[in-house]
Amino acid sequence: MTKLKIERLTRCFQGLVALNDVSFSMEEGEILGIIGPNGAGKTTFINLVSGIIMPSSGRIEYKGRDITYAPAHERARLGIARTYQLIHPLENLSLIENVMVGSIFARGNGLKAARRKARDLCAALGLENLGRDTSKLTILEIKKMEIARALANEPEVLLLDEVMAGLNSDETRLLIGMVQSVAKERCLAVGVVEHVMGVIRELTHRVIVLEAGELIAQGPYEEVSKNPRVIEAYLGGAA
Amino acid sequence: MNRNLLRLAAALAGAAAVALPAFAGAYPLQVARNVIMYMALAITWDMLLRSGQISFGIAGLFGIGAYAAVLGVLRAGMSPWLSIAFAAAFAGAASFLIGFLILRLRTMYFSIVTLALAEIFRIVIHNLPEFTGGPEGVVLEGVIMKGSASGLYWLTLGGLAVALAASWGFEKSRMHFALTAIRNNETSAKSSGIDIFRWLLVAFVVTSSIQGLLGGIYVQSYGFATPDSVFDANFTLLPLAMALLGGIHSTIGPVLGAILLGLAAEWLKLRIPYGHLVVYGIIIIVVILFMPKGLYGLARKVSGAADRRRA
Ligand SMILES: Nc1ncnc2c1ncn2[C@@H]1O[C@H](COP(=O)(O)OP(=O)(O)OP(=O)(O)O)[C@@H](O)[C@H]1O
Ligand SMILES: [Mg+2]
C-alpha cells in the first residue's frame, strides 16, 4: 500500500531550487534510501514531508490524503515522524521525558501511559538510566533517543536524516539492525538519508538519487550504483 | 530524599502565612501583603517564561484587571467580590485576543510588544474620561471587607494560592512538556505533535487571567485606581527581578526571590527613598550576568555537588 505519494514537489530558496519537480512514492514496509551529494536536497525533502517548510509547488499525499500544506504538528499526529540531521535534544527534559513528548502530543496519551510506552521503547532500543540529562548521553545514546522520540509518535512513515553519522562501524551495524527490526515489526515506510553507501546497501530495498534538487535515478541499490549519471554526480561532487 | 522535608516545610510555611494576622501587627501585615502580591505576579511571569517567551506585559494585564474591577462596580453595579472574578475574566478575554495577535512573535519582538501593552491601555483609559475617569482615575465608595487588615491580607493570600495552584498544575501536567519543548526547540516540538500556538495561547491566557485577578484584588484593597498607579512599570519590573533572583523555570524560585527582594526593598525604602529601585536594577544585572539560574539554581548545583561527593 502506498503511504506517501510525492508529486512534482518543488521548493525554491530565493533563487536556488533546492528540490525540483520530484515525484515518487513510499510503500508500506519498504525502506527507501535517499542519497545524493551535499546540497542535493535530501534534508529539504524531509523538511517538506514533515511540514517544517512548505513547498513552492507540487503535492504531498499521505494515505490518499492531501497534506501538502498541513502544519507540522498535524502531520506528526497523522503518522509522519522524523529525526534531525542536526540533533535537537530537549535539554531541559530527561532522556525518558524526551521520548514521552511524542507519545503525549502526537498520540494524545496521558503522562502515565506515555511514560510506560517510552520506557518500553527505550528498552527495545537498549537505552538505560532513563532519568539522565541529555547532556550526559553518548553519541550512540543520543541517536537512539532521536529514533525513540520519532517512534513515540507511533508513525507509519519514518524519515531518518543521517542518524548513523558520527557512529563507529559497530555502532552503525547495531543501529542498522534496530531500524530494520522496528520497520518490520511496525510495517513502517522508512526513508533513510545516509552518506555511507554500505549502510544504504545493507538497509534499503530501493534508492532514489537526488542531485542539485533533481531526481536522477531510482531503483535497487545494486542497479542505481552502476548508473553512469549517479557515478558522475558523486565523482563530480567529490572533485 | 529530602522531598518530604520540602513538603513539610511548605506546609508549615503555608500554615504560618495563613495564621500571620493572629500575631503580626498592622505594619508587618501590610508588608507581607505586598510581598505576597508581587510573589504571585512573579510566579505568573515565570509560568509563561517556561515557554521561552519573555513578557513585559504584567503591568498591562494587572492594570486591565484593576480597571475591570473598579468599572465593574461603578458602571455595572457589581459587588466587590464579583468584580474581582470579573477582573480575571476580562483580563483573560483580553489576553485571548491579544494573544492571537502577538503569540506568533518571538524573542525581543514579543517582549517589546508586551511592553507596549500597559502604555496602550493607559492611553485608552486617559482618553475615555466619561467612562474610565480619565487621568484622575476613579474612587470606589469603600474598600472590600470594610478594609479589615486581616481580611485584605487573606484576600491577597487567596490570589497567591491561585497562582501557586496554577504553577504546580503547569509543572505536573502535559503543560510542562509542551512549554519546555517549545522553549528548547520549536522545530522538534512541532515534529512531536505540539501545536505551539495553541499551548502558548493557553499559557498566556491563564497567566494573564491571574494577573488580572491580582489587579482586581489590588484595587478592591485600596479603593481607587488611576492609570499611573495601576499600570506602574514596577508591577512588571519587580516580579521579574524576584523571579530572576530566586530562580526561573520553577515555582519555588519566584517565591524565594519575592521574599528576599520584597523584604530587602522594604528595609531599603525606609533608609533611602527610591533607593530600592536602584537595588532592583543592580540585582537584575548581577543575576543575569553571574547567576542565570538564580538562587534556587545555585542551591541545586551546590547540593548536587554535595550529593556527588557523598556518593
Ligand atoms: N533554509 C534555507 N535557506 C536557503 N537555502 C537553503 C535552506 N535550506 C537548504 N538550502 C539550500 O538548499 C540546498 C539543498 O539543501 P539540503 O539541506 O536539502 O541538502 P542535503 O541534500 O540535505 O545536503 P547534506 O548532505 O549536506 O545534508 C542547499 O544548496 C542548501 O544550501
Ligand atoms: Mg541534509
Side-chain angles (χ1 to χ4, degrees):
Chain A
M1 186 189 135
T2 301
K3 289 280 181 196
L4 197 68
K5 197 164 155 207
I6 308 299
E7 283 171 23
R8 312 205 59 176
L9 200 62
T10 300
R11 167 69 206 221
C12 311
F13 292 110
Q14 286 90 28
L16 180 94
V17 187
L19 205 68
N20 191 4
D21 207 14
V22 167
S23 306
F24 66 94
S25 53
M26 286 175 64
E27 307 292 326
E28 183 176 318
E30 182 189 44
I31 303 184
L32 174 77
I34 301 161
I35 63 172
N38 290 113
K42 306 179 294 292
T43 298
T44 300
F45 164 73
I46 291 182
N47 284 340
L48 287 167
V49 172
S50 58
I52 296 307
I53 58 176
M54 294 296 156
S56 308
S57 66
R59 188 179 151 86
I60 306 170
E61 222 175 70
Y62 170 73
K63 296 204 291 182
R65 173 177 174 166
D66 183 358
I67 58 155
T68 313
Y69 299 104
H73 63 87
E74 224 160 78
R75 298 186 209 207
R77 288 175 199 172
L78 287 172
I80 297 175
R82 65 169 293 180
T83 64
Y84 285 88
Q85 183 172 356
L86 300 171
I87 47 162
H88 299 313
L90 304 170
E91 66 261 26
N92 293 104
L93 295 177
S94 67
L95 168 53
I96 189 165
E97 287 172 336
N98 263 271
V99 180
M100 286 167 68
V101 176
S103 185
I104 296 168
F105 296 100
R107 285 279 66 80
N109 287 317
L111 298 191
K112 275 215 183 85
R115 189 170 290 274
R116 204 174 52 239
K117 285 181 180 232
R119 211 177 284 135
D120 292 347
L121 207 49
C122 289
L125 290 170
L127 285 165
E128 285 166 351
N129 292 328
L130 305 181
R132 272 179 299 168
D133 277 4
T134 54
S135 60
K136 304 275 190 308
L137 306 182
T138 65
I139 299 177
L140 178 63
E141 286 175 320
I142 288 194
K143 300 287 181 158
K144 285 179 176 179
M145 181 186 79
E146 291 288 309
I147 295 174
R149 277 178 43 182
L151 289 173
N153 287 9
E154 295 177 26
E156 294 177 46
V157 170
L158 175 64
L159 302 165
L160 303 174
D161 198 352
E162 301 198 21
V163 271
M164 314 283 176
L167 299 182
N168 66 35
S169 60
D170 288 344
E171 293 168 337
T172 304
R173 200 155 308 123
L174 184 76
L175 218 52
I176 288 176
M178 285 181 174
V179 170
Q180 273 170 333
S181 66
V182 161
K184 196 156 184 190
E185 233 164 72
R186 301 177 179 228
C187 222
L188 302 175
V190 185
V192 184
V193 173
E194 283 300 335
H195 278 293
V196 181
M197 286 309 136
V199 174
I200 293 291
R201 185 177 39 199
E202 208 169 313
L203 193 53
T204 63
H205 302 120
R206 190 164 61 101
V207 173
I208 65 166
V209 187
L210 297 173
E211 188 204 4
E214 315 239 359
L215 199 165
I216 58 168
Q218 57 180 314
Y221 175 78
E222 306 301 339
E223 198 180 299
V224 161
S225 62
K226 295 195 189 81
N227 183 318
R229 252 196 100 181
V230 174
I231 294 169
E232 194 192 336
Y234 269 92
L235 292 178
Chain B
M1 23 143 246
N2 50 18
R3 188 155 288 255
N4 282 330
L5 212 64
L6 272 172
R7 272 204 198 113
L8 184 68
L12 285 177
V18 172
L20 190 67
F23 45 81
Y27 171 69
L29 213 51
Q30 165 71 30
V31 172
R33 206 172 97 200
N34 232 338
V35 169
I36 284 169
M37 196 198 62
Y38 282 113
M39 188 185 288
L41 289 174
I43 291 168
T44 61
W45 179 72
D46 186 79
M47 286 162 71
L48 186 63
L49 187 73
R50 294 170 205 171
S51 73
Q53 315 311 310
I54 303 173
S55 166
F56 293 137
I58 308 173
L61 276 313
F62 181 87
I64 276 290
Y67 263 94
V70 279
L71 296 178
V73 172
L74 293 175
R75 309 281 184 254
M78 289 179 191
S79 76
W81 292 100
L82 180 63
S83 83
I84 291 173
F86 177 65
F90 191 85
S95 64
F96 185 79
L97 297 178
I98 296 163
F100 259 94
L101 297 175
I102 69 171
L103 284 172
R104 310 236 179 240
L105 301 173
R106 288 295 180 273
T107 62
M108 68 170 196
Y109 300 99
F110 176 80
S111 303
I112 289 170
V113 172
T114 57
L115 184 59
L117 287 178
E119 222 37 53
I120 293 169
F121 295 145
R122 194 208 306 256
I123 291 168
V124 169
I125 285 166
H126 264 266
N127 287 294
L128 293 171
E130 290 83 41
F131 188 67
T132 64
E136 286 81 47
V138 277
V139 182
L140 293 171
E141 265 168 38
V143 173
I144 195 167
M145 294 181 288
K146 301 198 176 68
S148 142
S150 38
L152 294 181
Y153 170 82
W154 279 321
L155 177 62
T156 312
L157 198 61
L160 173 65
V162 172
L164 280 173
S167 179
W168 276 323
F170 272 30
E171 280 180 4
K172 299 286 174 236
S173 66
R174 50 177 50 204
M175 188 57 118
H176 168 67
F177 288 83
L179 298 185
T180 310
I182 293 169
R183 172 170 101 243
N184 282 179
N185 193 301
E186 291 198 20
T187 310
S188 85
K190 277 190 244 179
S191 292
S192 293
I194 296 177
D195 183 345
I196 293 175
F197 181 72
R198 202 194 107 190
W199 287 102
L200 288 182
L201 191 61
V202 173
F204 187 59
V205 170
V206 169
T207 56
S208 299
S209 303
I210 301 172
Q211 288 158 10
L213 176 84
L214 293 163
I217 290 173
Y218 178 84
V219 279
Q220 289 299 353
S221 306
Y222 288 92
F224 74 97
T226 67
D228 293 334
S229 70
V230 300
F231 291 108
D232 192 321
N234 280 339
F235 291 124
T236 296
L237 292 178
L238 272 51
L240 203 144
M242 288 165 172
L244 283 172
L245 176 67
I248 53 175
H249 305 148
S250 69
T251 303
I252 188 80
V255 170
L256 285 178
I259 294 171
L260 287 174
L261 260 191
L263 295 181
E266 202 58 37
W267 183 79
L268 272 167
K269 220 188 290 184
L270 300 178
R271 275 151 196 81
I272 10 168
Y274 296 104
H276 61 294
L277 293 180
V278 177
V279 173
Y280 277 115
I282 292 171
I283 284 172
I284 292 177
I285 293 167
V286 169
V287 169
I288 288 175
L289 286 181
F290 301 110
M291 215 169 52
K293 294 200 168 140
L295 292 173
Y296 178 55
L298 202 66
R300 280 219 297 206
K301 207 155 111 188
V302 170
S303 81
D307 280 350
R308 270 196 298 284
R309 259 200 305 281
R310 240 175 282 133

